[in-house]
Amino acid sequence: MSDDDQTACAVLILIGLLLLCVAVGIRVGAWVGTMLAGGVFLTIGVGAYLAGGVAGSGK
């Protein structure tokens, strides 16, 4: 293998690793986003439930 071949292989490996990191990052980001969105909806739901309970007991 010449130096050029080794350089080409190294570049291909680096590009592959970069793409893998990006793909994993997108997956993790989507998962975290889903969890955060779920948490927000859950918080809103609990808040509405508590507000409804307070409004109901105030009558």
Side-chain angles (χ1 to χ4, degrees):
M1 267 177 96
S2 67
D3 285 345
D4 285 345
D5 288 341
Q6 286 181 327
T7 303
C9 277
V11 167
L12 284 174
I13 290 168
L14 283 173
I15 290 172
L17 285 173
L18 188 64
L19 288 173
L20 186 67
C21 285
V22 168
V24 169
I26 289 170
R27 280 290 170 90
V28 170
W31 183 77
V32 168
T34 304
M35 290 292 125
L36 287 175
V40 167
F41 283 121
L42 186 63
T43 304
I44 291 169
V46 168
Y49 175 74
L50 290 175
V54 169
S57 65
K59 287 180 180 172

